[in-house]
Amino acid sequence: MALIVQKFGGTSVGSVERIQNVAQRVKRHRDQGDDVVVVVSAMSGETNRLIGLAKEISDTPSPREMDVLVSTGEQVTIALLCLALQEIGCAARSYTGAQVHILTDSAHSKARIMDIDHARVCADIKAGRVVVVAGFQGVDQHGDITTLGRGGSDTTAVAMAAALDADECQIFTDVDGVYTTDPRVEPQARKLNRITFEEMLEMASLGSKVLQIRAVEFAGKYNVPLRVLSSFEDGGEGTLISLEEDVVEAAKISGIAFNRDEAKLTIRGVPDHPGIAYQILGPIGDANIEVDMIVQNIAHDDTTDFTFTVNRSEYNKALSILEKISADLGAREVVGDDKIIKISLVGVGMRSHAGIASKMFETLSKEGINIQMISTSEIKISVVVDEKYLELGVRSLHDAFDLAEESTA
Ligand code: ADP
Ligand code: ASP
Ligand code: MG
């Protein structure tokens, strides 16, 4: 008898009827003899609706109150799912994050899970009940409600699976697995049967929102077998996120990720002397703004240009900090662009294949897409381009690297 953690995302619990379908699916699994712990998200659109309500009252809402507010979405769905399970004769009990002691740090809206006290969950499983846990939420050491960042129910599911030493963590969503790229942007995208933790982590970090980054990190760290499946179709194998050694299909490129939440800032004509990067990025870091790509040009006329990217939501804040730095340093000017996006190729096979970067640049140049910034690592190449090129860029790269075809490499 296996213990399975099943997570259902917002679309999968988006209406009463869908919640009833989830209940049927959970019961079928239960009837096969497995123990099931379920993690659910809020109904689709609910978290955004709650954030919208708060924004009507305040531009700078208190992070503590925001977490009290946005965590309510998941409290609704755990109760409704338990009612639906009970209606079809399946014993079930719901728990909020606090009730199962999902202990986190106090970083409201992006808290990290530190510990889970699974005693109550284990007792219920032993008593034959399905346990339904609210995703996305936890509680800090002071008893305050915290949330784990957008998409955080994935992380709750993986953390529960790790704590309970589950046999598999299944993420049920509105696609039937992880694709070579977002199928909403490239209809030719192909479902992957397997992807390594390393690649999935890179895809998630570079913008593929099918799994939250921390969920993948957690699964890799605690070796939790993780599978992405459709909650609307039956019988598929989905995509297994597995350790590298197990992977048979070692394609050069596994997928294309993109991130729409990017913005770029440049400070021009900065006097070039030691400490300049620190003087520019220090205050940005102090303001809790995360910097992604950084480019510093070779100096000419004893001055240099310095460019970096930040999350688009922090663009205005970063711009005003940079303008002040520019004045202090006697730089020439500050320019910014919040209409950019990042497209990335990801694949562990890149390590052993040369020429991938040049093929990427050739493909983009044939389409007349200007590359504004480039960054590489062992298993990824990212470019920053104008946001109007997102679809064209993703589709032309998908085609150039034959990602719609099953790999034979
Ligand atoms: P849930 O509400 O179930 O958590 P999400 O919206 O968070 O669902 O994640 C599923 C969505 O992720 C899909 O509908 C798809 O548009 C998007 N997505 C982005 N990149 C990929 C990818 N590489 N493979 C599959 N889906 C992807
Ligand atoms: N409800 C939360 C969100 O919309 C968490 C999740 O769905 O995973 O981000
Ligand atoms: Mg999600």
Side-chain angles (χ1 to χ4, degrees):
M1 193 153 100
L3 170 61
I4 310 290
V5 174
Q6 299 189 320
K7 178 254 167 177
F8 294 89
T11 334
S12 313
V13 293
S15 65
V16 163
E17 198 191 342
R18 287 188 173 174
I19 290 174
Q20 287 168 324
N21 288 341
V22 168
Q24 291 288 357
R25 184 180 283 277
V26 170
K27 181 169 188 294
R28 276 201 302 278
H29 213 99
R30 182 85 195 89
D31 290 345
Q32 286 165 19
D34 288 339
D35 288 326
V36 185
V37 171
V38 182
V39 173
V40 281
S41 294
M43 294 167 93
S44 57
E46 178 63 3
T47 311
N48 286 345
R49 188 185 74 84
L50 294 167
I51 293 171
L53 290 177
K55 289 266 160 74
E56 280 181 36
I57 295 175
S58 167
D59 285 336
T60 51
S62 139
R64 181 186 183 279
E65 303 314 324
M66 281 307 284
D67 277 354
V68 173
L69 175 68
V70 295
S71 61
T72 58
E74 275 73 9
Q75 191 166 335
V76 171
T77 45
I78 51 170
L80 291 177
L81 179 58
C82 281
L83 293 176
L85 283 163
Q86 289 160 6
E87 279 301 304
I88 54 173
C90 184
R93 204 174 253 180
S94 69
Y95 290 102
T96 63
Q99 284 176 305
V100 279
H101 303 291
I102 298 182
L103 181 70
T104 71
D105 61 21
S106 303
H108 287 290
S109 85
K110 49 181 175 220
R112 280 184 181 272
I113 297 176
M114 299 188 322
D115 194 28
I116 295 180
D117 176 3
H118 50 74
R120 271 184 99 169
V121 176
C122 289
D124 276 320
I125 293 172
K126 233 180 174 169
R129 282 188 279 265
V130 168
V131 177
V132 181
V133 178
F136 182 50
Q137 55 178 262
V139 64
D140 74 2
Q141 57 172 341
H142 310 295
D144 285 330
I145 295 173
T146 55
T147 61
L148 311 178
R150 299 307 304 267
S153 301
D154 296 337
T155 305
T156 307
V158 174
M160 286 301 300
L164 296 166
D165 199 16
D167 295 278
E168 191 163 284
C169 180
Q170 302 176 339
I171 307 287
F172 286 92
T173 183
D174 55 5
V175 278
D176 62 347
V178 178
Y179 278 67
T180 45
T181 193
D182 189 340
R184 283 177 213 244
V185 167
E186 170 53 286
Q188 303 288 318
R190 177 174 52 91
K191 183 178 83 70
L192 301 163
N193 294 328
R194 285 180 173 213
I195 185 168
T196 65
F197 278 114
E198 204 183 0
E199 287 168 320
M200 193 62 238
L201 191 58
E202 203 75 51
M203 292 275 281
S205 319
L206 295 167
S208 297
K209 294 188 175 133
V210 59
L211 283 175
Q212 203 201 27
I213 307 169
R214 282 192 192 152
V216 187
E217 254 170 21
F218 223 98
K221 188 166 165 194
Y222 294 98
N223 213 352
V224 176
L226 186 60
R227 196 182 285 278
V228 177
L229 296 147
S230 165
S231 59
F232 301 116
E233 285 166 29
D234 275 324
E237 293 283 296
T239 301
L240 180 69
I241 292 98
S242 62
L243 293 172
E244 195 167 346
E245 303 93 74
D246 306 338
V247 173
V248 270
E249 41 175 331
K252 281 185 228 168
I253 307 294
S254 292
I256 303 173
F258 53 82
N259 193 348
R260 291 188 168 97
D261 307 328
E262 301 267 335
K264 181 179 83 163
L265 298 115
T266 300
I267 176 163
R268 291 211 180 112
V270 194
D272 187 34
H273 55 72
I276 220 65
Y278 174 64
Q279 278 171 289
I280 296 170
L281 295 180
I284 299 283
D286 291 344
N288 248 324
I289 300 175
E290 253 181 68
V291 171
D292 179 15
M293 284 192 200
I294 305 169
V295 173
Q296 185 185 336
N297 284 348
I298 294 170
H300 53 90
D301 312 335
D302 294 329
T303 71
T304 185
D305 298 345
F306 195 94
T307 303
F308 58 93
T309 60
V310 297
N311 191 290
R312 212 176 269 190
S313 63
E314 318 240 65
Y315 174 67
N316 287 329
K317 196 164 141 198
L319 197 58
S320 63
I321 295 172
L322 205 58
E323 262 150 13
K324 182 170 180 313
I325 298 170
S326 172
D328 292 350
L329 293 177
R332 200 165 59 246
E333 63 175 341
V334 171
V335 285
D337 186 354
D338 64 349
K339 304 263 179 300
I340 55 149
I341 51 109
K342 181 169 72 175
I343 302 178
S344 310
L345 289 183
V346 175
V348 287
M350 264 186 219
R351 286 194 182 117
S352 49
H353 289 90
I356 290 180
S358 65
K359 185 164 173 181
M360 181 182 197
F361 305 152
E362 183 195 5
T363 307
L364 296 174
S365 94
K366 273 190 190 152
E367 298 294 342
I369 301 174
N370 185 42
I371 300 172
Q372 303 182 14
M373 291 171 88
I374 300 170
S375 119
T376 64
S377 81
E378 261 200 313
I379 65 163
K380 73 114 203 278
I381 308 169
S382 301
V383 294
V384 165
V385 299
D386 192 301
E387 67 176 8
K388 68 179 177 217
Y389 294 128
L390 187 130
E391 280 82 9
L392 181 63
V394 169
R395 289 180 195 157
S396 57
L397 290 168
H398 200 270
D399 188 47
F401 285 93
D402 295 324
L403 295 186
E405 317 296 323
E406 197 82 37
S407 163
T408 49

